Amino acid sequence: MAGYPGITSSYLIRTEHPCVVEVGTAGSAPVLRDRLAALGVDARDLATIVVTHIHLDHAGGVGEVARMFPNAEVVVHERGARHLADPTRLMHSARQVWGDRLDVLFGEMRPTDSTRIRSVSQTGRIELGNGRELVSHYTPGHAKHHVGLLDSGTGDLYVGDALGVYNPHTEDVRPATPPPDFNLDAALSSLQLFRDIGPQRLMFSHFGAVPTVDDTIDRAEEELRLWVETVQSAHASTGDLDHAIAMVRDQVLTRYRPLPPEASTEAAEVMEVLSGVESNVAGIGHWLDQVAAEQRKEQGET
């Protein structure tokens, strides 16, 4: 992403019907194409492209990759399908948020032929061949169009951003709570669903495969609750976004281990822009405002 490795994972499931989970940004599409070719996947061999959700760091390259692999079906949650077919509204919103940085970070999402898109709802199944399948599970909290994906053959669970962001250099897990869709209750329910599934490995979109399943899910919940409690405390005292950001930096970030010397500081900076303190705090604050508005409405009705 943005020319740096180690930010967004794309996974190839090598079966009778080859499948790619996550494609990254539009700018990453040629890199994905070339790596698949190096792994022996011909342009007409790829059977399925699946994205966990439609944020541009996960699905921004779907239109480009679909053109590169003309036989691949594109699978997405039903809340995101129309945005892949016509990304005009999505790109407009993204440009309002990112401005000129959008072109460098993500590139332009291009439309995907609607006849090639298959949407899934609460659950769905993607055939991988020889009785093996990828089972989708609706997991909102990070986004309303988010799914987790379980490989029936390996027990690998592709978690998207539902567990947050995993740093393979430090083994820290940080929440991913951007506006406008973050919802704590939904996020916690999604984590419990992942526990109930009992996967063998967690396949993070940011970044890599993690075999310590139970410990990592527990850590993700612990961190999520801590971030929310810290922002909640800041809101209760001043309600100021900058104050909440400062409290998280002071009370939360100082708990994390520093990057080792061999880690890419440039990639870390891109990740901080993508899913850093400002974005996370803004999303949590937005959710807290929604909860407060609902409580005022209920009190008014009673």
Side-chain angles (χ1 to χ4, degrees):
M1 178 174 171
Y4 300 108
I7 299 175
T8 298
S9 304
S10 292
Y11 295 96
L12 169 65
I13 303 176
R14 305 179 79 166
T15 61
E16 182 182 351
H17 304 306
C19 173
V20 162
V21 179
E22 310 284 55
V23 299
T25 66
S28 300
V31 178
L32 178 58
R33 176 200 60 204
D34 294 345
R35 294 310 303 151
L36 289 175
L39 291 169
V41 180
D42 184 75
R44 297 192 175 276
D45 289 343
L46 191 66
T48 316
I49 299 162
V50 192
V51 292
T52 60
H53 58 302
I54 63 168
H55 288 166
L56 294 179
D57 52 322
H58 298 255
V62 166
E64 293 286 354
V65 176
R67 285 173 174 78
M68 295 171 177
F69 297 90
N71 292 336
E73 179 182 57
V74 177
V75 181
V76 65
H77 187 262
E78 60 187 4
R79 287 177 177 255
R82 64 188 177 94
H83 295 289
L84 296 189
D86 181 4
T88 305
R89 181 178 173 186
L90 180 64
M91 291 305 303
H92 176 72
S93 298
R95 196 163 292 280
Q96 286 184 316
V97 172
W98 297 104
D100 293 339
R101 292 185 299 177
L102 185 142
D103 297 318
V104 174
L105 289 172
F106 305 109
E108 187 79 18
M109 178 190 273
R110 301 198 178 279
T112 301
D113 183 350
S114 61
T115 63
R116 296 179 59 188
I117 299 172
R118 176 160 68 93
S119 62
V120 294
S121 54
Q122 202 68 26
T123 59
R125 297 181 183 277
I126 298 103
E127 297 298 327
L128 299 175
N130 294 322
R132 184 174 169 185
E133 58 187 7
L134 200 60
V135 183
S136 69
H137 298 269
Y138 184 46
T139 48
H142 171 78
K144 292 179 179 178
H145 40 78
H146 193 289
V147 295
L149 303 154
L150 180 68
D151 186 333
S152 68
T154 62
D156 288 339
L157 178 63
Y158 299 87
V159 299
D161 284 348
L163 284 177
V165 173
Y166 176 80
N167 189 325
H169 299 291
T170 64
E171 299 182 346
D172 290 319
V173 183
R174 303 190 190 190
T177 61
D181 286 353
F182 171 68
N183 181 293
L184 177 62
D185 297 330
L188 293 174
S189 294
S190 294
L191 296 190
Q192 186 56 52
L193 175 60
F194 286 166
R195 288 192 184 94
D196 294 341
I197 287 172
Q200 296 299 305
R201 285 194 303 176
L202 302 171
M203 316 299 278
F204 279 84
S205 297
H206 313 290
F207 179 83
V210 179
T212 53
V213 173
D214 293 337
D215 288 347
T216 302
I217 295 176
D218 289 345
R219 180 68 184 276
E221 179 173 345
E222 176 187 347
E223 294 300 317
L224 179 59
R225 291 186 182 277
L226 177 61
W227 280 66
V228 170
E229 288 167 5
T230 304
V231 176
Q232 204 164 20
S233 177
H235 264 231
S237 60
T238 67
D240 181 70
L241 181 64
D242 289 337
H243 179 56
I245 291 171
M247 283 187 64
V248 168
R249 291 192 187 281
D250 183 55
Q251 299 180 21
V252 179
L253 294 194
T254 52
R255 301 164 59 255
Y256 299 139
R257 284 173 282 186
L259 287 173
E262 67 271 15
S264 167
T265 55
E266 292 89 353
E269 288 168 1
V270 174
M271 275 304 303
E272 182 63 26
V273 171
L274 185 65
S275 183
V277 177
E278 289 84 356
S279 175
N280 278 354
V281 170
I284 295 169
H286 181 73
W287 173 75
L288 290 171
D289 290 341
Q290 286 182 317
V291 171
E294 290 171 2
Q295 290 174 342
R296 289 193 297 270
K297 182 179 178 181
E298 291 175 1
Q299 292 169 355
E301 290 176 350
T302 56

